[in-house]
Amino acid sequence: VSIRMASGFESGLNLGGTTQPTGISSESFSLRSFSKPHIVIAHIIFRGSALVVYILANMFSSSFIIQFLLLITLHSMDFWTVKNITGRLLVGLRWWNFVDEEGHNHWKYESAKDPSRFAALDRRVFWAALVLAPLFWAFLAVVAFMTLKWEWMMVTFIGLAMTGANLYGYLRCRWADTTQFTNYMSKWAFLSLLRSQRPATDQQPMQQTV
């Protein structure tokens, strides 16, 4: 098994709208605020459909087999769509693998040459849905374990595995190794701490001398 990092892939495929400026006014927020609204909506729907069906499973059918098959189908659709479509169109990332003639498995993690051409709001929604989905499935797994619903815990593990695989794949596209990811998170935590302390410093009253 080999892992290859590649960067600079280009794709002319542009579905759901044209690229627009990333500056968004909170007062005029709408679907037009997104550069690719149809892709963003599809990303959210595929991310959340299995969760909704899991929570409302008994409303669709009283048979666990039917519920299980429906959830597996939704998980598969979500995994394929996020892996092959929404990640490439919203953030310019993709990961995939292939088997060579000798039977060796190769993993490739790729990123676009110019990430700035992807709208900031589209990227935020993509990453938010990508991170929140496995967190929700982890929470549901804990609930299933606490309530001794072993068959549903198996379903939550499948959801956690499939959403977690996409999250891991895109994190590898974004950061080549754990060192880069750790450095990024440390920098983000440091800057967040500075931002949280700045308002308190700026709001200190100015002393006037007479």
Short mmCIF file of all heavy atoms in Angstrom, two decimals, residues 42-105:
data_model
loop_
_atom_site.label_atom_id
_atom_site.label_comp_id
_atom_site.label_asym_id
_atom_site.label_seq_id
_atom_site.Cartn_x
_atom_site.Cartn_y
_atom_site.Cartn_z
N ALA A 42 -27.10 20.02 -1.79
CA ALA A 42 -26.93 18.57 -1.93
C ALA A 42 -26.00 18.02 -0.86
O ALA A 42 -26.25 16.95 -0.30
CB ALA A 42 -26.38 18.25 -3.33
N HIS A 43 -24.94 18.77 -0.56
CA HIS A 43 -23.99 18.33 0.47
C HIS A 43 -24.69 18.21 1.82
O HIS A 43 -24.51 17.22 2.54
CB HIS A 43 -22.84 19.34 0.55
CG HIS A 43 -21.79 19.00 1.55
ND1 HIS A 43 -20.94 17.93 1.40
CD2 HIS A 43 -21.45 19.59 2.73
CE1 HIS A 43 -20.12 17.88 2.44
NE2 HIS A 43 -20.41 18.86 3.26
N ILE A 44 -25.48 19.20 2.18
CA ILE A 44 -26.17 19.19 3.47
C ILE A 44 -27.22 18.07 3.51
O ILE A 44 -27.36 17.37 4.52
CB ILE A 44 -26.83 20.56 3.73
CG1 ILE A 44 -25.75 21.64 3.87
CG2 ILE A 44 -27.69 20.51 4.98
CD1 ILE A 44 -26.31 23.04 3.99
N ILE A 45 -27.96 17.90 2.42
CA ILE A 45 -29.01 16.87 2.38
C ILE A 45 -28.40 15.47 2.53
O ILE A 45 -28.89 14.66 3.33
CB ILE A 45 -29.82 16.98 1.08
CG1 ILE A 45 -30.67 18.25 1.10
CG2 ILE A 45 -30.70 15.74 0.89
CD1 ILE A 45 -31.44 18.49 -0.18
N PHE A 46 -27.35 15.20 1.79
CA PHE A 46 -26.73 13.87 1.87
C PHE A 46 -26.09 13.64 3.24
O PHE A 46 -26.10 12.52 3.75
CB PHE A 46 -25.69 13.70 0.76
CG PHE A 46 -26.29 13.33 -0.56
CD1 PHE A 46 -26.38 14.26 -1.58
CD2 PHE A 46 -26.78 12.05 -0.78
CE1 PHE A 46 -26.94 13.91 -2.81
CE2 PHE A 46 -27.34 11.70 -2.00
CZ PHE A 46 -27.43 12.64 -3.02
N ARG A 47 -25.54 14.70 3.83
CA ARG A 47 -24.95 14.55 5.15
C ARG A 47 -26.00 14.27 6.22
O ARG A 47 -25.75 13.53 7.18
CB ARG A 47 -24.20 15.84 5.54
CG ARG A 47 -22.95 16.13 4.77
CD ARG A 47 -21.72 15.51 5.39
NE ARG A 47 -21.51 14.13 5.01
CZ ARG A 47 -20.52 13.39 5.46
NH1 ARG A 47 -19.65 13.90 6.33
NH2 ARG A 47 -20.38 12.14 5.08
N GLY A 48 -27.17 14.88 6.07
CA GLY A 48 -28.17 14.79 7.13
C GLY A 48 -29.28 13.78 6.91
O GLY A 48 -30.02 13.47 7.85
N SER A 49 -29.40 13.24 5.69
CA SER A 49 -30.54 12.36 5.39
C SER A 49 -30.52 11.10 6.25
O SER A 49 -31.55 10.69 6.81
CB SER A 49 -30.54 11.98 3.91
OG SER A 49 -29.31 11.36 3.55
N ALA A 50 -29.36 10.47 6.38
CA ALA A 50 -29.28 9.24 7.18
C ALA A 50 -29.57 9.53 8.65
O ALA A 50 -30.20 8.72 9.34
CB ALA A 50 -27.91 8.59 7.03
N LEU A 51 -29.12 10.69 9.15
CA LEU A 51 -29.39 11.05 10.54
C LEU A 51 -30.88 11.22 10.78
O LEU A 51 -31.42 10.75 11.78
CB LEU A 51 -28.65 12.34 10.88
CG LEU A 51 -27.15 12.24 11.12
CD1 LEU A 51 -26.50 13.62 11.15
CD2 LEU A 51 -26.86 11.49 12.42
N VAL A 52 -31.57 11.90 9.84
CA VAL A 52 -33.01 12.11 9.99
C VAL A 52 -33.75 10.78 9.96
O VAL A 52 -34.65 10.53 10.78
CB VAL A 52 -33.52 13.05 8.87
CG1 VAL A 52 -35.04 13.15 8.91
CG2 VAL A 52 -32.90 14.43 9.02
N VAL A 53 -33.38 9.91 9.02
CA VAL A 53 -34.04 8.61 8.92
C VAL A 53 -33.77 7.77 10.16
O VAL A 53 -34.65 7.05 10.65
CB VAL A 53 -33.58 7.87 7.65
CG1 VAL A 53 -34.10 6.44 7.63
CG2 VAL A 53 -34.06 8.62 6.41
N TYR A 54 -32.57 7.84 10.70
CA TYR A 54 -32.24 7.09 11.91
C TYR A 54 -33.12 7.54 13.08
O TYR A 54 -33.66 6.71 13.81
CB TYR A 54 -30.76 7.28 12.26
CG TYR A 54 -30.34 6.58 13.53
CD1 TYR A 54 -29.89 5.27 13.50
CD2 TYR A 54 -30.39 7.23 14.76
CE1 TYR A 54 -29.49 4.62 14.67
CE2 TYR A 54 -30.01 6.60 15.93
CZ TYR A 54 -29.57 5.30 15.88
OH TYR A 54 -29.20 4.66 17.04
N ILE A 55 -33.27 8.84 13.24
CA ILE A 55 -34.05 9.37 14.37
C ILE A 55 -35.54 9.06 14.20
O ILE A 55 -36.25 8.76 15.17
CB ILE A 55 -33.81 10.88 14.51
CG1 ILE A 55 -32.34 11.13 14.87
CG2 ILE A 55 -34.72 11.48 15.57
CD1 ILE A 55 -31.95 12.60 14.87
N LEU A 56 -36.02 9.12 12.95
CA LEU A 56 -37.45 8.92 12.68
C LEU A 56 -37.71 7.57 12.01
O LEU A 56 -38.66 7.42 11.25
CB LEU A 56 -37.97 10.05 11.77
CG LEU A 56 -37.75 11.47 12.29
CD1 LEU A 56 -38.23 12.48 11.26
CD2 LEU A 56 -38.45 11.69 13.63
N ALA A 57 -36.87 6.58 12.30
CA ALA A 57 -36.95 5.30 11.59
C ALA A 57 -38.31 4.64 11.72
O ALA A 57 -38.84 4.08 10.74
CB ALA A 57 -35.86 4.36 12.12
N ASN A 58 -38.91 4.68 12.89
CA ASN A 58 -40.18 4.00 13.11
C ASN A 58 -41.33 4.63 12.32
O ASN A 58 -42.38 4.00 12.15
CB ASN A 58 -40.53 3.98 14.60
CG ASN A 58 -39.59 3.07 15.38
OD1 ASN A 58 -39.12 2.06 14.87
ND2 ASN A 58 -39.32 3.44 16.62
N MET A 59 -41.13 5.85 11.85
CA MET A 59 -42.16 6.50 11.04
C MET A 59 -42.14 5.97 9.60
O MET A 59 -43.14 6.06 8.89
CB MET A 59 -41.97 8.02 11.04
CG MET A 59 -42.16 8.66 12.40
SD MET A 59 -41.93 10.46 12.33
CE MET A 59 -43.20 10.93 11.15
N PHE A 60 -41.00 5.44 9.17
CA PHE A 60 -40.88 4.93 7.82
C PHE A 60 -41.29 3.46 7.73
O PHE A 60 -41.91 3.04 6.76
CB PHE A 60 -39.44 5.10 7.31
CG PHE A 60 -39.02 6.53 7.17
CD1 PHE A 60 -38.37 7.18 8.22
CD2 PHE A 60 -39.28 7.22 6.00
CE1 PHE A 60 -37.98 8.50 8.09
CE2 PHE A 60 -38.88 8.55 5.87
CZ PHE A 60 -38.24 9.19 6.91
N SER A 61 -40.92 2.68 8.73
CA SER A 61 -41.25 1.25 8.73
C SER A 61 -41.04 0.69 10.13
O SER A 61 -40.21 1.20 10.90
CB SER A 61 -40.37 0.50 7.72
OG SER A 61 -40.58 -0.88 7.80
N SER A 62 -41.79 -0.36 10.44
CA SER A 62 -41.63 -1.03 11.73
C SER A 62 -40.66 -2.20 11.64
O SER A 62 -40.34 -2.82 12.65
CB SER A 62 -43.00 -1.54 12.22
OG SER A 62 -43.56 -2.43 11.27
N SER A 63 -40.18 -2.48 10.45
CA SER A 63 -39.26 -3.59 10.24
C SER A 63 -37.82 -3.07 10.34
O SER A 63 -37.42 -2.17 9.60
CB SER A 63 -39.48 -4.22 8.86
OG SER A 63 -38.46 -5.16 8.56
N PHE A 64 -37.03 -3.69 11.23
CA PHE A 64 -35.65 -3.26 11.38
C PHE A 64 -34.85 -3.56 10.12
O PHE A 64 -33.93 -2.80 9.78
CB PHE A 64 -35.01 -3.96 12.58
CG PHE A 64 -33.54 -3.66 12.72
CD1 PHE A 64 -33.12 -2.43 13.21
CD2 PHE A 64 -32.59 -4.60 12.34
CE1 PHE A 64 -31.77 -2.15 13.33
CE2 PHE A 64 -31.24 -4.32 12.46
CZ PHE A 64 -30.83 -3.09 12.96
N ILE A 65 -35.17 -4.63 9.42
CA ILE A 65 -34.43 -4.97 8.20
C ILE A 65 -34.60 -3.88 7.15
O ILE A 65 -33.62 -3.45 6.51
CB ILE A 65 -34.90 -6.33 7.65
CG1 ILE A 65 -34.57 -7.44 8.65
CG2 ILE A 65 -34.25 -6.62 6.31
CD1 ILE A 65 -35.04 -8.81 8.22
N ILE A 66 -35.84 -3.43 6.96
CA ILE A 66 -36.09 -2.35 5.99
C ILE A 66 -35.39 -1.07 6.43
O ILE A 66 -34.78 -0.35 5.62
CB ILE A 66 -37.60 -2.12 5.82
CG1 ILE A 66 -38.25 -3.37 5.21
CG2 ILE A 66 -37.87 -0.90 4.96
CD1 ILE A 66 -39.75 -3.27 5.06
N GLN A 67 -35.47 -0.76 7.73
CA GLN A 67 -34.80 0.44 8.25
C GLN A 67 -33.30 0.35 8.04
O GLN A 67 -32.65 1.32 7.62
CB GLN A 67 -35.13 0.60 9.74
CG GLN A 67 -36.59 0.85 10.03
CD GLN A 67 -36.91 0.73 11.51
OE1 GLN A 67 -36.06 0.29 12.31
NE2 GLN A 67 -38.12 1.11 11.89
N PHE A 68 -32.73 -0.82 8.30
CA PHE A 68 -31.29 -1.02 8.14
C PHE A 68 -30.87 -0.85 6.69
O PHE A 68 -29.88 -0.17 6.39
CB PHE A 68 -30.92 -2.41 8.66
CG PHE A 68 -29.45 -2.72 8.53
CD1 PHE A 68 -28.55 -2.26 9.47
CD2 PHE A 68 -28.99 -3.50 7.47
CE1 PHE A 68 -27.20 -2.54 9.36
CE2 PHE A 68 -27.65 -3.80 7.36
CZ PHE A 68 -26.74 -3.31 8.30
N LEU A 69 -31.61 -1.47 5.77
CA LEU A 69 -31.27 -1.36 4.35
C LEU A 69 -31.39 0.08 3.85
O LEU A 69 -30.57 0.54 3.05
CB LEU A 69 -32.17 -2.29 3.53
CG LEU A 69 -31.96 -3.79 3.75
CD1 LEU A 69 -32.98 -4.59 2.96
CD2 LEU A 69 -30.54 -4.20 3.38
N LEU A 70 -32.40 0.78 4.33
CA LEU A 70 -32.57 2.17 3.93
C LEU A 70 -31.42 3.03 4.42
O LEU A 70 -30.88 3.87 3.67
CB LEU A 70 -33.90 2.71 4.47
CG LEU A 70 -34.22 4.18 4.18
CD1 LEU A 70 -34.26 4.43 2.68
CD2 LEU A 70 -35.55 4.58 4.82
N LEU A 71 -31.00 2.81 5.66
CA LEU A 71 -29.89 3.58 6.22
C LEU A 71 -28.58 3.26 5.51
O LEU A 71 -27.78 4.17 5.23
CB LEU A 71 -29.77 3.31 7.72
CG LEU A 71 -30.84 3.96 8.59
CD1 LEU A 71 -30.81 3.39 10.00
CD2 LEU A 71 -30.62 5.48 8.64
N ILE A 72 -28.35 2.00 5.19
CA ILE A 72 -27.13 1.62 4.47
C ILE A 72 -27.10 2.28 3.09
O ILE A 72 -26.06 2.76 2.63
CB ILE A 72 -27.02 0.09 4.34
CG1 ILE A 72 -26.78 -0.53 5.72
CG2 ILE A 72 -25.89 -0.28 3.40
CD1 ILE A 72 -25.51 -0.08 6.38
N THR A 73 -28.26 2.32 2.43
CA THR A 73 -28.34 2.97 1.12
C THR A 73 -28.02 4.46 1.22
O THR A 73 -27.26 5.00 0.41
CB THR A 73 -29.73 2.78 0.52
OG1 THR A 73 -30.01 1.37 0.40
CG2 THR A 73 -29.83 3.43 -0.85
N LEU A 74 -28.59 5.12 2.22
CA LEU A 74 -28.33 6.55 2.40
C LEU A 74 -26.87 6.81 2.76
O LEU A 74 -26.27 7.78 2.30
CB LEU A 74 -29.26 7.11 3.48
CG LEU A 74 -30.75 7.15 3.12
CD1 LEU A 74 -31.57 7.59 4.33
CD2 LEU A 74 -30.99 8.11 1.95
N HIS A 75 -26.30 5.95 3.60
CA HIS A 75 -24.88 6.09 3.94
C HIS A 75 -24.00 5.96 2.70
O HIS A 75 -23.05 6.72 2.52
CB HIS A 75 -24.48 5.02 4.97
CG HIS A 75 -24.86 5.36 6.37
ND1 HIS A 75 -24.58 6.58 6.95
CD2 HIS A 75 -25.47 4.62 7.33
CE1 HIS A 75 -25.02 6.59 8.19
NE2 HIS A 75 -25.56 5.42 8.45
N SER A 76 -24.32 4.99 1.85
CA SER A 76 -23.53 4.77 0.64
C SER A 76 -23.64 5.96 -0.31
O SER A 76 -22.64 6.41 -0.89
CB SER A 76 -23.99 3.49 -0.06
OG SER A 76 -23.87 2.37 0.79
N MET A 77 -24.85 6.50 -0.47
CA MET A 77 -25.04 7.65 -1.33
C MET A 77 -24.30 8.87 -0.79
O MET A 77 -23.67 9.62 -1.55
CB MET A 77 -26.54 7.95 -1.46
CG MET A 77 -27.33 6.87 -2.19
SD MET A 77 -29.12 7.14 -2.09
CE MET A 77 -29.26 8.74 -2.92
N ASP A 78 -24.37 9.06 0.52
CA ASP A 78 -23.67 10.18 1.14
C ASP A 78 -22.16 10.05 0.97
O ASP A 78 -21.48 11.00 0.59
CB ASP A 78 -24.03 10.25 2.62
CG ASP A 78 -23.13 11.20 3.39
OD1 ASP A 78 -23.11 12.39 3.06
OD2 ASP A 78 -22.44 10.74 4.32
N PHE A 79 -21.64 8.85 1.22
CA PHE A 79 -20.20 8.63 1.12
C PHE A 79 -19.71 8.90 -0.29
O PHE A 79 -18.72 9.61 -0.50
CB PHE A 79 -19.88 7.19 1.53
CG PHE A 79 -18.41 6.87 1.45
CD1 PHE A 79 -17.56 7.20 2.49
CD2 PHE A 79 -17.88 6.24 0.33
CE1 PHE A 79 -16.20 6.90 2.42
CE2 PHE A 79 -16.54 5.95 0.25
CZ PHE A 79 -15.69 6.28 1.30
N TRP A 80 -20.40 8.36 -1.29
CA TRP A 80 -19.97 8.52 -2.67
C TRP A 80 -20.07 9.98 -3.11
O TRP A 80 -19.17 10.51 -3.77
CB TRP A 80 -20.81 7.64 -3.59
CG TRP A 80 -20.32 7.63 -5.01
CD1 TRP A 80 -19.40 6.78 -5.55
CD2 TRP A 80 -20.71 8.54 -6.04
NE1 TRP A 80 -19.20 7.10 -6.88
CE2 TRP A 80 -19.98 8.17 -7.21
CE3 TRP A 80 -21.59 9.61 -6.10
CZ2 TRP A 80 -20.13 8.86 -8.42
CZ3 TRP A 80 -21.73 10.29 -7.31
CH2 TRP A 80 -21.00 9.91 -8.45
N THR A 81 -21.18 10.65 -2.76
CA THR A 81 -21.39 12.03 -3.20
C THR A 81 -20.36 12.97 -2.59
O THR A 81 -19.77 13.80 -3.28
CB THR A 81 -22.80 12.50 -2.83
OG1 THR A 81 -23.77 11.62 -3.42
CG2 THR A 81 -23.06 13.91 -3.32
N VAL A 82 -20.14 12.85 -1.29
CA VAL A 82 -19.19 13.73 -0.62
C VAL A 82 -17.76 13.45 -1.09
O VAL A 82 -16.97 14.37 -1.31
CB VAL A 82 -19.30 13.57 0.91
CG1 VAL A 82 -18.22 14.38 1.61
CG2 VAL A 82 -20.68 14.03 1.38
N LYS A 83 -17.44 12.18 -1.28
CA LYS A 83 -16.08 11.82 -1.68
C LYS A 83 -15.77 12.25 -3.11
O LYS A 83 -14.66 12.72 -3.40
CB LYS A 83 -15.89 10.31 -1.53
CG LYS A 83 -14.54 9.79 -2.00
CD LYS A 83 -14.45 8.29 -1.80
CE LYS A 83 -13.12 7.75 -2.31
NZ LYS A 83 -12.99 7.88 -3.78
N ASN A 84 -16.72 12.10 -4.03
CA ASN A 84 -16.43 12.29 -5.44
C ASN A 84 -16.94 13.59 -6.04
O ASN A 84 -16.47 13.97 -7.12
CB ASN A 84 -17.01 11.11 -6.24
CG ASN A 84 -16.38 9.78 -5.87
OD1 ASN A 84 -15.20 9.56 -6.10
ND2 ASN A 84 -17.18 8.91 -5.27
N ILE A 85 -17.89 14.26 -5.39
CA ILE A 85 -18.50 15.44 -6.02
C ILE A 85 -18.35 16.69 -5.17
O ILE A 85 -17.67 17.64 -5.58
CB ILE A 85 -19.98 15.18 -6.33
CG1 ILE A 85 -20.12 14.01 -7.31
CG2 ILE A 85 -20.63 16.42 -6.92
CD1 ILE A 85 -21.55 13.65 -7.65
N THR A 86 -18.98 16.71 -4.00
CA THR A 86 -19.06 17.97 -3.26
C THR A 86 -17.70 18.45 -2.77
O THR A 86 -17.43 19.65 -2.76
CB THR A 86 -20.02 17.85 -2.07
OG1 THR A 86 -19.53 16.84 -1.16
CG2 THR A 86 -21.41 17.45 -2.52
N GLY A 87 -16.83 17.54 -2.37
CA GLY A 87 -15.50 17.96 -1.93
C GLY A 87 -14.69 18.61 -3.03
O GLY A 87 -13.99 19.61 -2.81
N ARG A 88 -14.80 18.08 -4.24
CA ARG A 88 -14.05 18.62 -5.37
C ARG A 88 -14.61 19.96 -5.81
O ARG A 88 -13.85 20.86 -6.18
CB ARG A 88 -14.09 17.61 -6.53
CG ARG A 88 -13.35 18.05 -7.77
CD ARG A 88 -13.10 16.87 -8.67
NE ARG A 88 -14.33 16.17 -9.02
CZ ARG A 88 -15.05 16.46 -10.11
NH1 ARG A 88 -14.67 17.42 -10.92
NH2 ARG A 88 -16.14 15.77 -10.38
N LEU A 89 -15.94 20.12 -5.77
CA LEU A 89 -16.55 21.33 -6.28
C LEU A 89 -16.59 22.46 -5.26
O LEU A 89 -16.58 23.64 -5.63
CB LEU A 89 -17.97 21.04 -6.76
CG LEU A 89 -18.09 20.06 -7.94
CD1 LEU A 89 -19.55 19.84 -8.30
CD2 LEU A 89 -17.32 20.58 -9.14
N LEU A 90 -16.64 22.14 -3.96
CA LEU A 90 -16.77 23.18 -2.95
C LEU A 90 -15.45 23.62 -2.35
O LEU A 90 -15.29 24.78 -1.96
CB LEU A 90 -17.71 22.70 -1.82
CG LEU A 90 -19.15 22.43 -2.22
CD1 LEU A 90 -19.97 21.97 -1.02
CD2 LEU A 90 -19.79 23.67 -2.85
N VAL A 91 -14.49 22.71 -2.22
CA VAL A 91 -13.21 23.07 -1.59
C VAL A 91 -11.99 22.72 -2.44
O VAL A 91 -10.86 23.00 -2.04
CB VAL A 91 -13.08 22.41 -0.20
CG1 VAL A 91 -14.10 22.97 0.77
CG2 VAL A 91 -13.22 20.89 -0.31
N GLY A 92 -12.20 22.09 -3.59
CA GLY A 92 -11.07 21.76 -4.45
C GLY A 92 -10.19 20.66 -3.92
O GLY A 92 -8.98 20.65 -4.16
N LEU A 93 -10.77 19.69 -3.22
CA LEU A 93 -10.02 18.57 -2.68
C LEU A 93 -10.65 17.26 -3.15
O LEU A 93 -11.86 17.19 -3.36
CB LEU A 93 -10.01 18.60 -1.14
CG LEU A 93 -9.47 19.85 -0.47
CD1 LEU A 93 -9.68 19.77 1.04
CD2 LEU A 93 -8.00 20.07 -0.78
N ARG A 94 -9.83 16.24 -3.28
CA ARG A 94 -10.37 14.91 -3.57
C ARG A 94 -9.35 13.85 -3.15
O ARG A 94 -8.14 14.08 -3.16
CB ARG A 94 -10.71 14.76 -5.05
CG ARG A 94 -9.52 14.73 -5.99
CD ARG A 94 -9.96 14.59 -7.43
NE ARG A 94 -8.85 14.62 -8.37
CZ ARG A 94 -8.97 14.62 -9.68
NH1 ARG A 94 -10.17 14.59 -10.22
NH2 ARG A 94 -7.91 14.64 -10.47
N TRP A 95 -9.86 12.71 -2.76
CA TRP A 95 -9.00 11.58 -2.40
C TRP A 95 -9.58 10.33 -3.04
O TRP A 95 -10.78 10.17 -3.19
CB TRP A 95 -8.90 11.43 -0.88
CG TRP A 95 -10.19 11.14 -0.17
CD1 TRP A 95 -11.15 12.03 0.19
CD2 TRP A 95 -10.65 9.85 0.26
NE1 TRP A 95 -12.19 11.38 0.83
CE2 TRP A 95 -11.90 10.05 0.89
CE3 TRP A 95 -10.11 8.57 0.19
CZ2 TRP A 95 -12.64 9.02 1.43
CZ3 TRP A 95 -10.84 7.52 0.73
CH2 TRP A 95 -12.08 7.76 1.35
N TRP A 96 -8.68 9.46 -3.46
CA TRP A 96 -9.11 8.26 -4.16
C TRP A 96 -7.98 7.24 -4.12
O TRP A 96 -6.89 7.53 -3.65
CB TRP A 96 -9.50 8.58 -5.61
CG TRP A 96 -8.46 9.31 -6.39
CD1 TRP A 96 -8.09 10.61 -6.25
CD2 TRP A 96 -7.64 8.79 -7.44
NE1 TRP A 96 -7.12 10.95 -7.14
CE2 TRP A 96 -6.82 9.84 -7.90
CE3 TRP A 96 -7.55 7.54 -8.05
CZ2 TRP A 96 -5.89 9.67 -8.92
CZ3 TRP A 96 -6.63 7.37 -9.08
CH2 TRP A 96 -5.83 8.43 -9.50
N ASN A 97 -8.28 6.05 -4.59
CA ASN A 97 -7.27 5.00 -4.61
C ASN A 97 -7.42 4.15 -5.87
O ASN A 97 -8.46 4.16 -6.52
CB ASN A 97 -7.37 4.11 -3.37
CG ASN A 97 -8.57 3.20 -3.42
OD1 ASN A 97 -9.69 3.67 -3.56
ND2 ASN A 97 -8.35 1.90 -3.31
N PHE A 98 -6.36 3.46 -6.21
CA PHE A 98 -6.39 2.56 -7.34
C PHE A 98 -5.45 1.39 -7.08
O PHE A 98 -4.54 1.48 -6.25
CB PHE A 98 -5.99 3.28 -8.64
CG PHE A 98 -4.56 3.72 -8.69
CD1 PHE A 98 -3.58 2.93 -9.27
CD2 PHE A 98 -4.17 4.93 -8.14
CE1 PHE A 98 -2.26 3.33 -9.32
CE2 PHE A 98 -2.85 5.35 -8.17
CZ PHE A 98 -1.89 4.54 -8.76
N VAL A 99 -5.68 0.31 -7.77
CA VAL A 99 -4.87 -0.91 -7.64
C VAL A 99 -4.07 -1.08 -8.93
O VAL A 99 -4.64 -1.08 -10.02
CB VAL A 99 -5.76 -2.14 -7.38
CG1 VAL A 99 -4.89 -3.39 -7.25
CG2 VAL A 99 -6.59 -1.94 -6.12
N ASP A 100 -2.76 -1.18 -8.80
CA ASP A 100 -1.92 -1.32 -9.98
C ASP A 100 -1.93 -2.77 -10.50
O ASP A 100 -2.63 -3.64 -9.95
CB ASP A 100 -0.49 -0.84 -9.70
CG ASP A 100 0.17 -1.63 -8.57
OD1 ASP A 100 -0.27 -2.77 -8.28
OD2 ASP A 100 1.13 -1.12 -7.96
N GLU A 101 -1.16 -3.00 -11.54
CA GLU A 101 -1.15 -4.32 -12.18
C GLU A 101 -0.59 -5.41 -11.26
O GLU A 101 -0.90 -6.59 -11.44
CB GLU A 101 -0.31 -4.25 -13.46
CG GLU A 101 -0.89 -3.31 -14.52
CD GLU A 101 -0.02 -3.23 -15.76
OE1 GLU A 101 1.09 -3.81 -15.72
OE2 GLU A 101 -0.44 -2.59 -16.74
N GLU A 102 0.22 -5.01 -10.28
CA GLU A 102 0.79 -5.98 -9.36
C GLU A 102 -0.09 -6.23 -8.14
O GLU A 102 0.28 -6.98 -7.25
CB GLU A 102 2.18 -5.51 -8.91
CG GLU A 102 3.17 -5.38 -10.06
CD GLU A 102 4.52 -4.91 -9.59
OE1 GLU A 102 4.63 -4.60 -8.38
OE2 GLU A 102 5.45 -4.84 -10.40
N GLY A 103 -1.23 -5.57 -8.10
CA GLY A 103 -2.15 -5.78 -6.99
C GLY A 103 -1.92 -4.90 -5.79
O GLY A 103 -2.53 -5.12 -4.74
N HIS A 104 -1.04 -3.87 -5.93
CA HIS A 104 -0.77 -2.97 -4.82
C HIS A 104 -1.79 -1.83 -4.81
O HIS A 104 -2.15 -1.28 -5.86
CB HIS A 104 0.64 -2.39 -4.92
CG HIS A 104 1.72 -3.43 -4.87
ND1 HIS A 104 1.94 -4.23 -3.77
CD2 HIS A 104 2.64 -3.81 -5.80
CE1 HIS A 104 2.94 -5.06 -4.00
NE2 HIS A 104 3.39 -4.83 -5.24
N ASN A 105 -2.23 -1.49 -3.61
CA ASN A 105 -3.23 -0.44 -3.43
C ASN A 105 -2.53 0.90 -3.23
O ASN A 105 -1.65 1.03 -2.39
CB ASN A 105 -4.10 -0.76 -2.22
CG ASN A 105 -5.44 -0.05 -2.27
OD1 ASN A 105 -5.87 0.41 -3.32
ND2 ASN A 105 -6.10 0.05 -1.14
#
